Amino acid sequence: MIRVVTTKDAKQIVDIYNYYVLNSIVTLDLVPFSVLDFEEKIQTISNDFPFIVFEEGSEILGYAYANTFRTKPAYKNTVELTIYIKHSEIGKQIGKKLYSELLRLLKNLNYHVVIGGLTLPNEASVKLHENFGFEKVAHFKEVGYKFDKWHDVGFWQLTF
């Protein structure tokens, strides 16, 4: 089931995210987050943007949200997307279901452009974005440093 996030989801969401902080370059965050950090993030983001979770039983298997792309007023119709799937659930089409719903919500809210920023390489996320019609529009080389290595970041864009 896909539903709107609540702050009660923070513990499960932070567990999903912190796995990637500690074990992956998917996020370039270096320090794990607390439950309180994610409660605040959920409150702040969900006040202004769609923030949804994929739940099976009472277990959250993934989440996705839109957020501010840039703070200048001229960017108000553009958002940046975030999606994370519980690492043990990758390959089960949860990302596709979450993105389908999130993009539907954003289109209904009259957003014009959605951006996905990806640490590279990340074949699964590139495939997810391109399957929804996103096009690669930027590639920044060696802009993030994690696990004693430089990493590239790419940006994919979808215009409604």
Side-chain angles (χ1 to χ4, degrees):
M1 160 173 92
I2 294 176
R3 63 168 175 79
V4 173
V5 73
T6 72
T7 54
K8 293 177 186 172
D9 300 322
K11 170 67 172 118
Q12 291 188 69
I13 289 174
V14 79
D15 288 345
I16 291 169
Y17 189 71
N18 282 342
Y19 172 85
Y20 293 100
V21 172
L22 295 170
N23 300 290
S24 171
I25 62 160
V26 170
T27 175
L28 292 177
D29 276 315
L30 303 175
V31 178
F33 285 72
S34 71
V35 173
L36 181 59
D37 293 331
F38 262 79
E39 287 173 350
E40 292 172 2
K41 183 183 282 253
I42 288 167
Q43 287 176 333
T44 301
I45 293 170
S46 62
N47 283 339
D48 297 316
F49 300 98
F51 193 142
I52 57 177
V53 298
F54 184 96
E55 184 178 49
E56 196 170 85
S58 60
E59 183 180 10
I60 293 174
L61 303 180
Y63 65 94
Y65 61 84
N67 203 353
T68 304
F69 172 66
R70 303 278 176 157
T71 57
K72 293 178 182 173
Y75 295 112
K76 70 179 181 175
N77 295 313
T78 299
V79 292
E80 186 168 357
L81 306 185
T82 296
I83 184 168
Y84 282 92
I85 308 302
K86 188 172 184 177
H87 72 279
S88 60
E89 304 298 316
I90 299 292
K92 297 183 179 179
Q93 305 301 307
I94 295 168
K96 182 178 179 181
K97 292 172 185 172
L98 279 167
Y99 251 29
S100 290
E101 178 62 11
L102 184 59
L103 291 171
R104 184 190 71 77
L105 292 169
L106 293 169
K107 191 170 187 175
N108 288 344
L109 291 168
N110 295 314
Y111 284 98
H112 182 62
V113 173
V114 292
I115 305 288
L118 317 175
T119 307
L120 301 172
N122 185 339
E123 293 292 323
S125 196
V126 169
K127 183 177 178 184
L128 175 69
H129 285 83
E130 291 180 351
N131 283 344
F132 279 99
F134 285 74
E135 295 179 0
K136 187 176 184 182
V137 294
H139 188 124
F140 300 101
K141 296 182 178 187
E142 299 183 359
V143 294
Y145 191 77
K146 185 174 181 180
F147 300 142
D148 299 321
K149 185 176 176 188
W150 289 105
H151 301 283
D152 295 0
V153 172
F155 283 86
W156 275 254
Q157 175 179 326
L158 177 67
T159 303
F160 292 126

